Every structure is written in C-alpha cells, then in structure tokens.
Amino acid sequence: MSNIDENAQGKEMGLTTCPSCNKLNEQKQTHCTRCDSPLMVRDTTSLQKSWALLITAAILLIPANIYPITMLTDRGRIRHDTIFTGITHLVQSDMFPIAIILFTASILVPLLKIVGLTIYLTAISFRLPISKKMLMVGFHIIEWIGRWSMLDLFVISITVALVNMGQLLDAKPAPAATAFALVILLTQMAAKVLDTRLLWDRLESKDDKNRSTKSR
Ligand SMILES: [Zn+2]
C-alpha cells in the first residue's frame, strides 16, 4: 500500500464510479457492469448545464419577488400579496415565528443557494485562487442548504391552512408562485446535475498552490 499516492484519484488508476449505483468500474467500460448505466469519467458538460439552470433561476427570482404570490379573497375584496408584503403583513399581525419561517424559506434559502452555487461554479470554471478549505466549506454549506428546500412546501401548506381555516378567507396562488416554484426546482437541478468530481480535480490539480507536496 505504501507505493500508492494517498491523493490519487480513481481517474489516475483507470477507475470510475457509476453515477447511479456507485459501483467502481474500469474506465474502458462504457456501461456499468452492475446496473448498465452509461459511464463517464468526468461530465464536463455538467458545468454548462449547471450554469444555465442557475442563471435561469436567478432571473426567475425577479418575477417571483415583484409579482403577487398569493391572492386573498376577503368578503368579496381581493388582496394581492408579494413575498415581501406577505411577510410585513404577518409581522403587523404579530405572527413573528411564521414571518421568520416565511422569510427564511422564501428569501434567505433561495438567495443563499443561488449565491453559494454561483461562487462554487465560478471557482471551478475560472479556477479562482480560493483555498481548498474554503471550497470544501462552501460545498458542505450548499449541501446543507439543499436539505432545507422542503421548508418552502412546508411554509406554503401552513400559510394556506392558517388562512383558510383561521380567517375564513379564500387563498389562491398568484403568478409569482409559479416563478418561485421554478426557482426552487431549478436551483435543486443546478446542484444535482453538477459533476462534483470536477471540484476534486480542481483541488488536486498540480497548479493548485494548496496541493500537498509530501507525497511527490
Ligand atoms: Zn451502476
């Protein structure tokens, strides 16, 4: 074992993992020997796909915040609320905990996800001189934020339940709801399509100042 470089990647050893079942396959194979999924040593087009999805999500964030997201019918009067007016309305009604959850789920989480992914993709695409440690932290933050995506659905169901049951109003989603749902979907997809092995390549590349030199 002593002659094996501890930083070596499967790519250098002629091995690659299956994207579906994670089985180690030899690079000469075109399809996984276990589940028959197509194998790719590195999906370099994944960077472009990820950028395209991310930029679309960032653009859709504008209509999601400008246009009304809910339409309330209160005794014949129709009231439109954007994400922002919805939150201020909750604050004015002394519903702080729900206002905080709504702010986190509909403004903070999508924004952090887009900013985080942008930094991450920029670092890989333009080989920014960001330290290995920073990139690793960023990667884990994006993964961690991704787990909170279901919070949006939770908030929407709670809001609708509160409005429909408590105040006897009729709440319906308005145009921005579609844009908002697309933002969530597209940021999830942008993170999903990216081949994270490209980051490990970047971290282990020879021109990286942070590469450990003890083994060569
Ligand atoms: Zn497989």
Side-chain angles (χ1 to χ4, degrees):
M1 286 299 280
S2 58
N3 60 343
I4 292 176
D5 180 351
E6 61 185 28
N7 288 318
Q9 292 187 314
K11 192 170 74 163
E12 292 148 21
M13 296 171 166
L15 298 167
T16 189
T17 49
C18 167
S20 306
C21 71
N22 284 331
K23 185 191 190 301
L24 266 181
N25 286 276
E26 282 181 51
Q27 276 172 28
K28 59 174 186 264
Q29 247 114 28
T30 53
H31 287 79
C32 175
T33 50
R34 177 156 61 197
C35 70
D36 212 34
S37 300
L39 294 173
M40 231 182 278
V41 179
R42 291 293 184 269
D43 185 4
T44 41
T45 59
S46 78
L47 208 54
Q48 291 159 27
K49 287 182 221 158
S50 197
W51 268 120
L53 290 164
L54 182 66
I55 292 166
T56 317
I59 294 169
L60 280 169
L61 204 59
I62 300 164
N65 280 284
I66 289 178
Y67 292 108
I69 195 150
T70 54
M71 193 178 81
L72 288 175
T73 314
D74 181 7
R75 279 156 287 174
R77 274 177 58 229
I78 297 172
R79 207 185 84 212
H80 293 276
D81 262 322
T82 61
I83 293 176
F84 186 73
T85 60
I87 293 170
T88 48
H89 188 70
L90 284 171
V91 172
Q92 282 158 7
S93 317
D94 285 329
M95 290 192 269
F96 286 109
I98 302 165
I100 290 167
I101 295 175
L102 195 67
F103 175 76
T104 310
S106 44
I107 295 181
L108 209 60
V109 169
L111 207 66
L112 278 176
K113 241 193 278 181
I114 288 176
V115 171
L117 271 170
T118 307
I119 297 172
Y120 186 59
L121 289 182
T122 312
I124 303 176
S125 302
F126 303 101
R127 298 184 154 260
L128 293 186
I130 300 177
S131 79
K132 197 183 267 189
K133 205 180 166 195
M134 284 284 288
L135 283 174
M136 281 298 294
V137 170
F139 178 68
H140 289 305
I141 290 173
I142 295 166
E143 273 204 316
W144 185 80
I145 293 171
R147 292 181 202 158
W148 290 89
S149 297
M150 293 303 275
L151 195 65
D152 308 307
L153 293 175
F154 171 73
V155 167
I156 291 164
S157 47
I158 278 199
T159 324
V160 169
L162 266 177
V163 165
N164 284 348
M165 291 162 73
Q167 301 177 8
L168 297 169
L169 302 173
D170 182 26
K172 281 193 184 72
T178 315
F180 184 73
L182 281 171
V183 170
I184 302 301
L185 185 74
L186 292 172
T187 48
Q188 280 300 93
M189 282 169 70
K192 187 90 186 148
V193 297
L194 187 70
D195 189 344
T196 46
R197 291 174 299 188
L198 292 167
L199 177 69
W200 316 134
D201 285 353
R202 155 75 176 77
L203 295 181
E204 294 299 325
S205 65
K206 290 183 186 78
D207 58 350
D208 185 22
K209 290 188 197 79
N210 297 287
R211 183 177 164 83
S212 124
T213 46
K214 63 181 187 293
S215 54
R216 16 191 77 211

